[in-house]
Amino acid sequence: MTHSEKQEVKVFAPASVANVNCGFDVMGFALEKPGDEIIARRTDGEGVSITKVTGDGGVLPANPQKNTAGVSARALLAHLGTNVGIELEIHKKMPMGSGLGSSAASSVGAVIAVNRLLGSPLELHELLGFAAEGERVACGAAHLDNVAPSLLGGFVFIRSQQPPDVIELECPVPLYATVVHPKIEIRTEDTRKILRREVLLSKAVTQWGNVGGLVAGLLKGDYDLISRSLEDVIIEPIRSVLIPGFNEVKQAALDAGALGSGISGSGPSIFALSSSEETAQKVAEAMQIEFARLDLDNDVYISRIKREDPYIIEEQ
Ligand code: HSE
């Protein structure tokens, strides 16, 4: 074992909001919380094993070839040309099937913990492709819009999935996210299947105008431009019918002062962006009132969006 190698590493990896409505598969941002905790520990055996899963992940497969964290860790070990024995503990601290990037957080936590355990042979951004392998298992597509923000923090734009070309977007003004999770489960794999394979050119023009506008608005810190650009004319009209009360909850967020709102990832969570924590709080109350009208139990998360790496909780 080299000096920088460890016996055990515990990592926090955050939840994320993918798509950010107009940017299907190409945009995402990380929340400060919730997130998953992953422990990687050396063993005498060979390869990756999963020894414990707690929280909402109780139903997850313990087979490392089927579990997203296991798949990502195995992909990383294969790349590094080693088959050292590593056991993983997965402590799910957020709901699965919620649109909060739960599987991505576990994959990100696993690759960071394993990389660290092995003396950090790779840089953070070099871990992206291995974390994405977990997404392929979780929902049939290795999209990066949850793993990239969970890994890198803040807002990210994905110019290309393969090879990964990810741009971190630093927004010079404060941005707060409100995410309300109604307690129903929607599987990303299912909501990808219902999408149309072709889009009308006129809609594509509107959509890429909005994506460009959102990226420019974030980089310039222009709240009006961000607000004007938060419109999805392609995916939201199809997926929103799966979320009870979607239109009312979104409208309530806008009426309460949000810059924009939409489906978080593939849902059912709904996110809104605001320019202050105070507004984000008001937006949360307004959104929750609408879900309460439908008797839909829900959780709410309010988070500042800022550039922040997933962090090492402890190591030895
Ligand atoms: N971009 C992905 C989708 C995110 O919308 O299917 C899933 O969390």
Side-chain angles (χ1 to χ4, degrees), residues 18-19 24-25 99 101 135 143 145-146 188 191-192 195 239 265-266:
N19 300 337
F24 178 70
D25 276 1
E135 287 296 69
H143 56 84
D145 51 345
N146 285 117
T188 299
T191 62
R192 289 183 83 85
L195 298 176
R239 282 181 169 172
S266 56

Side-chain angles (χ1 to χ4, degrees), residues 48 50 61-72 74 133 137:
V48 177
I50 295 172
N63 179 344
Q65 298 184 48
K66 296 203 173 133
N67 177 294
T68 60
V71 167
S72 300
R74 280 166 52 91
E133 284 309 309
V137 173

Side-chain angles (χ1 to χ4, degrees), residues 100-268:
L100 286 166
S102 173
S103 56
S106 294
S107 295
V108 165
V111 292
I112 293 174
V114 169
N115 188 52
R116 186 83 171 184
L117 202 61
L118 300 178
S120 302
L122 299 185
E123 300 288 334
L124 206 52
H125 69 273
E126 293 176 307
L127 299 173
L128 196 56
F130 309 109
E133 284 309 309
E135 287 296 69
R136 196 189 302 282
V137 173
C139 63
H143 56 84
L144 301 176
D145 51 345
N146 285 117
V147 284
S150 184
L151 184 71
L152 302 169
F155 241 109
V156 299
F157 175 65
I158 296 132
R159 193 206 60 81
S160 155
Q161 313 276 330
Q162 196 51 264
D165 188 358
V166 174
I167 297 103
E168 294 177 55
L169 305 173
E170 295 275 359
C171 183
V173 294
L175 268 183
Y176 286 83
T178 304
V179 186
V180 184
H181 168 230
K183 293 192 182 163
I184 52 174
E185 190 176 333
I186 291 185
R187 294 184 64 229
T188 299
E189 195 170 4
D190 299 336
T191 62
R192 289 183 83 85
K193 282 187 191 143
I194 62 170
L195 298 176
R196 297 198 188 103
R197 299 296 114 189
E198 285 157 9
V199 295
L200 273 180
L201 184 59
S202 58
K203 286 207 186 325
V205 171
T206 303
Q207 196 87 348
W208 60 55
N210 283 331
V211 173
L214 182 55
V215 170
L218 288 167
L219 292 175
K220 287 160 67 113
D222 181 335
Y223 287 133
D224 284 343
L225 182 53
I226 293 171
S227 182
R228 294 201 296 281
S229 307
L230 281 169
E231 176 204 25
D232 170 8
V233 296
I234 295 177
I235 309 294
E236 184 179 293
I238 298 172
R239 282 181 169 172
S240 59
V241 296
L242 301 173
I243 305 172
F246 175 81
N247 291 330
E248 292 77 9
V249 173
K250 177 174 173 173
Q251 193 56 50
L254 298 176
D255 293 345
L259 299 169
S261 170
I263 303 172
S264 175
S266 56

